[in-house]
Structures are given as structure tokens and as C-alpha cells.
Amino acid sequence: MATSVTGPQFEPVHERALTPAVGPAHDVDGFVRQFMRELNYSQGVPLSRSTLNDQYLALARTVRHYLMQGWIRTGKRRRDAGDKVIGYLSAEYLLGRQLDNALLAADLHDIAREAMRACGLDFDVLRAQEIEPGLGNGGLGRLAACFVDSLATMDVSCIGYGIRYEYGIFKQTFAAGKQVEVPDSWLALGSPWEFPQPDRAVQIDFGGHTESYTDDDGRERTRWVPSWNVQAIPYHLLVPGYRNNVVNTLRLWSARATNAFDLQLFNQGDYAEAVRAQTFAENITKVLYPEDSTPQGRELRLQQQYFFVAASLKDFIRHTLPQDFDLHHLPERVTFQLNDTHPVIGIPELMRLLIDEYDFEWDEAWDVTRQCFDYTCHTLLPEALEVWPVELLGRLLPRHLEIIYQLNEDFLEQVRERFDGDEVRARRMSMVQENPVRAIRMAHLATVAANKVNGVAALHSQLLRDKVLPDFSEMWPDKFTNVTNGVTPRRFVRIANPGMSELVTEAIGEGWLTDLERLAELEPFAEDSSFRERFRAVKAGNKDRLRQLLHHRDDIELDQDHMLDVMVKRLHEYKRQSLKLLHVVSLYEQIVSGEIDADSLVPRTVVFGAKAAPGYVMAKETIALINAVARTIDADERVKGRLAIAFPANYNVTLAETLIPAADLSEQISLAGKEASGTGNMKFALNGALTIGTDDGANVEIRELVGDENFFLFGMTEPDVAALQAKGYVPGDVYASSPRLKRTIDFLAGGHATGGRTSTAAAVIDDLLSHDRFMALADFDAYVEAQGRVEAKYADTEAWTRSAILNVARSGFFSSDRSMRDYLDRIWNVSARS
């Protein structure tokens, strides 16, 4: 009997031409119809009974529906063309909210706003319902998000691979000024931007042992006999290019048990044991960067890293390549970019796949593997270059440890041959560290295997060659290159700063959002008094927007007409939030002591935003101290309206989009030679803030581009730091020799800036006077002097505005589009279509 089917019929995508008719109509009526379908059939409610969350989910899914046409077409075009794919392997993607970015990319903002008005809904209220996915910790994750945005905008075939953390980075709150970590339940009300594909699940093995056997051709082979496994479930997020109908893929993996539920145990009443396997498996993708001060935490981190790279490599080979593809030609079809050391375990995993599962000989597998990987190093701190104890690696991934040992043996033979049997050099370069415990140096493994190794700012790349990996750069000088970081102007200028964006477009025309170096055309407008006045009006509007946000979000009241002096970044001693705090305390001490009149100060609010890693004690002590000083200053009538500290909790991308455009002064004060690059510094400059900073990371390039007169430089250079360290740095001597520093620290230690509680500052002061690993005291006097120059310039409104405009005009280099062009030209050898 024939079956009658009603409703729309869909033939397979590959059997028909995709035309613009696929998807909803690109007008208000079409958007309303699609929105109502989503609300009625996805949420299952009529508009009259829907909640705000229902409405937001329907709005987001409607926008996603518009993107699907481009996603399907992009995938088909690239499969047909056999494009080489950039497989971007990153443990973090700090995406920010997706709605505004998707609306901008698809040119749907005005249509969506009008459609919601037609439905009787407040578009801005719905936008505010979106919860930011905290799938990253800081600059590393935000950089990855900027890069995949640029690759889609440039029409480069890219799949971003990462982890779908159930909780992501923690939500920060304060209790009595101390940081408290709360789980970030970003999935609690649903995530409309993702969709799972469980039929493409990948099995990931762990543990067990290896054994030798003879294959059918009489060859001695090795097999891995794992003791347990989990499933990796892919979740897709769409990455739209800017108004080009190109949509790339971000594929995030979630862990699920292969045998999640034991019905027999459940029926026996042992409910906890019945789901033990499920709980154990799901721990792998439960939280971003689990606390690793315990053996269990370190093991979980390694599980996470292997889990997502193994799933990604298998997925690419099995599902992205044609079924009959010859893997000897794999380098022609993919470059896997290792975003720091977290994905480096992918190197032995590809070797294992080729040898154990695809019957490659060792030399064949190595020839393919070493052409498939490139490595970006994001740090100069030795403790940030991951090492994994051999005991742990061998217990969790025994086959991979064997492969690493063999790779290391082959490599050290090359070293000895190249350097006349120099065993000391061989030990330095070995992938295997012998002390204090036997461990695998993941940065060494990455450097040996990678086709190219890059740093992320000119100074960082030079120090990477000269100080971090000098033996390797001597052996392979052509392997090392630089790609200075960048940020996407779509999110961090157009979305974050609409007023300035409109002003720029009026001045230089359209097109600059995808060709940011056109901002140079703004330079003549710095001399135009009417343009400067309009620029200041935009900045004032941005400050009002921030003032309203902090009032409602944090119950923080920002003073009117203050210089906004902003330091927002991860809380780490090398970034020197303590130096900024000492400056504030110094100003406060001078007022309290009567040395200066409060009215003589340029009114200033210092805004901090920072999270400390849960196990980082000194960072948490610093947060508590900043908050204590903030409370004391806020309660003191002597400085009312002249000096204040604001420290909103839970700094994230969403807050950054409002805070950065409002900032006047950007604090980039890390110890020279310690910051790899920074991207916050770029965002501030692009939004018209002036930088006070050391010659560190990308600060060097910012200063060179914007000009010394538009940048407040202070402090030691990297050679100065190295010389002082070699001489023997004694922070107590600096304290004793600087009257201003001594008065500041004594004032703080006496409890005068912490409400009389001397214990609040004790740990930070003891560390500064005893160790001061990052030399905050050594740079204090120079920093205070530079802040004096800041005050003098800020008092000259026209001069400050001129410099702010020139910062914008001369910072077009810092687009992530330019960074991607550098990767394409210097590393990947791939051409962009746009």
C-alpha cells in the first residue's frame, strides 16, 4: 500500500543545486514566519505563553537557520574542490555571545530587530538573555575565536577542533573581597547555537598495555590493548564569515561512556555503581582546566588533551577525507595547527594511526606526520611549557610513550651527527627530561615534529629562538618564524563600538572591516577639531553605556568625567596587577598625608578585571588586596570624586565589549620579556585608548606603529631585566633606596589602605619584599613617573584626543585577518579566496 506523505519534501543535498531559495526569506516577514515556526515547533509554545528564554532560543535558532544555507553550500563546495583544510587544534575557544556576531555576519540585524518589534517583543531584552559560553581562560581562547572568524571571512577552509566543556571556566564571585569560584552553567537553559551529531561519535581508548605480534606479511608489529574507552560526541557550531555566505565549522567534543548504564546493577539497587562509567567518562569534558595540583587533576588534564585531539584526527580521516583517500598524501589535504602545547599529543597519535591502523612503515608515517603539524608557542614562562611524567603518560597512553621514545631516539641521533657527538646538547634537546622526574617535554616534541614553529609577536619570536628553544633554532633556523597576533575587528570594533564604527565609516567609507589597514585614512582627521569633538562624544557615550551596565550588573557606581584607567587580564604575577595597585596606593597615601591636594589630581577610576586560577594562592591574595583597597578608598571622603577602584566580578568577553570602548588608558605593564604578545593591548588601541606599558610582547609593535608621543613607555627592557637577574636582584634594596616606594609599602603594610587590617596585605608585601619574581618594585619609580606624564597629557583634552585618534588610525595592522594572511603565506602555504 502506498504511503501518502504531506508537508515539504527534501531530496538529498548532494543531488540538487543549492540556490538562494533554500532557507527563509531575507526580509522581515520571512524572519517573523521562521521565528514563529521555531517558537511553536521547537519550543512548543505559542507566543502568548512563551517565556523570555523561549523567545531568545527561537530568535537564536531563527538566525542559525539563516546561516545553515551558507554552511551546507560551503561544505559541498569545499568537498567538491578537495580544498586543503586548516585543522585548528585548540583546548580553548573563548567565543563570546553569538547572536550579535551572527546577525552582523549575515546582515540581519535590522531585519531581526524589526521582526521582533512586529511580534511585540523587545529585541534588546532578548539579546540580553544570551549566556556566554566560557570555553576559554583568556587570550589563548579568544585568539582562537578571532582566528576562526577571520578564516571564515577570508573564505579559507578551516575546522576548529576543541572541547565542549560542560561548565567551562568558572564564574567568579567575591565574598568579603575574596574570589569564590562558582560553576558556569552555560548549558542550563539550552544552547541554540550548537547541534550534536552522535552518529559521528568516535571511540577514544585509554590505559592498558601494548603487545607485539606478527602480521600476515610476516612483519613484526605492535598493537595497543587499551583497558577502557569513552565515546567522543561531536557538537557543531557555525562560524560565519562577514557577509560572504561562507560558514565554517567549529567542532567541539563531548565525552560519553561507551557503556553508560548497567541495568542489572540498577535493578539490584546499586544506583550509583550503575552509572559509574557514565560519571567517569563525562568527567573528561566536565570542566575547563581542572585543578592540576593533585595527581588526579593532572591525569584528567592529559585525558582531556588526548581525548579531543584523538577524536579530531580520527574524525578528519574518516569523515572529512574521501573514503578511498591515500593517506600518503595527507599533507596535501590538511595542516593541523597546534595552538600551544595542549594538542601536541596529536603528533604521536597520528603516528600511531598511520602505523598501527593503516599499516604504514615507520619512516613513511614520520614523513607524513612531520608535514602535517605546525606549532604556535604562546609563552616564555618555563612552567607554562607542559611536561608530562613518564609514569602518567605510560599508564594512560602506553603506545604513545613508545612512539615518543622512538622519535626521540631517532632525533638524538640527528643531533649527535650534526653537533659532533655533543652529549650535553643532546640532553638539553631531548624530548625526555630526566630530572626532577622523568617526563616528556611537549614543546620539544612539537618543535621536532612541526613543519614551522612560530611566536606571536616580534619580540616573543626572537626570545623564543634565542632563549626558550635556542638549540632547536640553531639546528633548524628556517623552521622558526613570527606571526604577530591580531583581533577580529567585527566583534571588537563594529559590535563593541558601534558609535566609533559609524564615525569611521562616515570619514573613510565602507570596506574597512575586512581591510583594517584602511584605518590609516583617519590620520588627517586627528587634526580636525570637529572630528575630535565627535570622537570625544562617542567616548563619552561609551562611558555612559559602561556606567549603566556596571550599575545593573555589579551595583558599581562609576563617577562622571573620570579618566578610565583599565587593567583587565588574567591575574598572574608576571602581568603585575600588584604594580598597578601600588600606584593607586601611592596616590592615596599622598592625599592622606597631605603631600598633594586631592583636587590637583586628574579624576581617575581604575578598573580591574581578572580571574585567578583556583589553585594560584598569590593571585587570589592579590585579588583580595585590590578589593580591600577599593573598599577603603570608596569609604574615604577625602578622595570622593577624585580616585576610585572598580573591580567587577567575572570579567568575560561580554563585559569586555562594553568596557574596552569606554577606556581612556590601557595598562600593559608586564615585566619585559614575559608577555608573549597580548591581544587586549590591541583591542584598547583600536578603540581609542592610549597605552601605558613596557616594551614587552606586542606593546613593542604598538609603540612603533602609533609613535612614542602617543604611547607612555616606562621600565626596563628585556636585556635590562636579564642583566639585573644575572647581577642578583634584591627587592629589599629597591625598597630601601626609593622613598616613594618605601612610603607606599609602609602605608599599605600599616593597614591604612585596607581598613586597618594589616593581615590583608601581608602575603603580597612579604612576597614583593622577599622575592618579587617579576620585579614590580624595580619598575615602580619609572611607572609612577610615566603616570605623571599620563595626567599631564589627559589634562590637555585636545592633545589626548588627537593621540587617541592616531592610535585607532595606526593600529590596523592588528587585525586577525592580517595574522591569518601571515599564517597562510609563511606557514600553511594556502591561498585565501577573499
Side-chain angles (χ1 to χ4, degrees), residues 336-612:
F336 291 111
Q337 186 68 40
L338 303 170
N339 193 30
D340 218 19
T341 51
H342 310 121
V344 170
I345 196 66
I347 293 166
E349 170 65 5
L350 183 56
M351 288 289 289
R352 185 194 70 81
L353 288 171
L354 295 175
I355 295 167
D356 294 358
E357 298 190 14
Y358 294 97
D359 292 329
F360 276 52
E361 295 297 334
W362 179 272
D363 289 342
E364 287 182 301
W366 180 238
D367 184 57
V368 169
T369 298
R370 68 183 178 82
Q371 295 180 69
C372 283
F373 288 96
D374 295 294
Y375 167 49
T376 300
C377 178
H378 286 275
T379 188
L380 293 166
L381 302 179
E383 62 266 30
L385 296 172
E386 287 184 311
V387 295
W388 288 112
V390 163
E391 182 278 327
L392 172 58
L393 195 57
R395 176 162 44 83
L396 204 62
L397 301 169
R399 179 62 174 139
H400 299 74
L401 182 59
E402 290 180 353
I403 290 170
I404 292 169
Y405 277 154
Q406 184 61 56
L407 289 175
N408 192 50
E409 186 176 321
D410 294 348
F411 167 62
L412 292 184
E413 284 185 15
Q414 295 179 51
V415 173
R416 294 182 183 107
E417 181 178 345
R418 171 74 181 275
F419 297 103
D420 299 323
D422 186 341
E423 283 301 318
V424 174
R425 181 186 292 266
R427 283 197 294 272
R428 288 199 309 263
M429 297 180 74
S430 175
M431 301 175 200
V432 183
Q433 163 191 294
E434 299 296 339
N435 293 301
V437 296
R438 202 156 203 254
I440 303 302
R441 298 162 167 156
M442 303 306 281
H444 288 203
L445 171 58
T447 304
V448 171
N451 179 49
K452 290 287 186 180
V453 177
N454 73 281
V456 290
L459 176 62
H460 172 244
S461 294
Q462 188 63 49
L463 294 174
L464 187 65
R465 288 188 291 262
D466 294 347
K467 295 197 172 185
V468 179
L469 298 168
D471 293 316
F472 293 91
S473 66
E474 183 179 354
M475 185 167 181
W476 295 308
D478 294 338
K479 180 175 284 199
F480 288 79
T481 189
N482 173 63
V483 177
T484 298
N485 285 342
V487 302
T488 170
R490 272 75 64 182
R491 180 177 291 275
F492 287 107
V493 182
R494 178 61 185 84
I495 293 173
N497 201 343
M500 193 188 79
S501 297
E502 291 172 9
L503 188 60
V504 171
T505 300
E506 287 179 28
I508 68 174
E510 302 280 354
W512 57 273
L513 274 179
T514 52
D515 184 8
L516 202 62
E517 298 205 34
R518 281 196 55 210
L519 289 177
E521 297 171 31
L522 282 177
E523 282 214 30
F525 291 91
E527 304 305 321
D528 183 331
S529 60
S530 64
F531 188 87
R532 291 198 301 269
E533 185 176 357
R534 294 174 68 195
F535 190 91
R536 284 194 296 274
V538 168
K539 182 69 74 172
N542 290 338
K543 288 183 177 181
D544 285 340
R545 193 158 53 106
L546 176 65
R547 191 174 294 110
Q548 293 171 30
L549 175 66
L550 293 184
H551 170 74
H552 293 291
R553 179 187 185 271
D554 301 277
D555 199 26
I556 290 174
E557 302 297 334
L558 289 185
D559 285 297
Q560 296 274 358
D561 302 322
H562 273 214
M563 176 205 299
L564 281 186
D565 178 356
V566 180
M567 187 172 192
V568 286
K569 51 188 76 252
R570 187 165 48 92
L571 202 304
H572 195 290
E573 288 164 277
Y574 87 82
K575 294 179 184 289
R576 303 203 295 191
Q577 283 91 349
S578 58
L579 177 57
K580 175 73 256 179
L581 182 62
L582 287 175
H583 170 241
V584 176
V585 172
S586 176
L587 291 175
Y588 183 50
E589 186 275 333
Q590 290 177 76
I591 295 169
V592 170
S593 68
E595 182 177 338
I596 61 174
D597 190 320
D599 290 339
S600 69
L601 281 180
V602 169
R604 181 193 303 244
T605 294
V606 178
V607 182
F608 288 96
K611 292 182 180 179

Side-chain angles (χ1 to χ4, degrees), residues 79 85 159 161 200 251 315-322 333:
R79 285 191 297 273
V85 177
I159 303 173
Y161 290 107
R200 282 179 61 164
R251 187 164 296 140
D315 175 80
F316 184 84
I317 291 172
R318 296 177 185 178
H319 296 129
T320 302
L321 294 174
R333 293 298 298 273

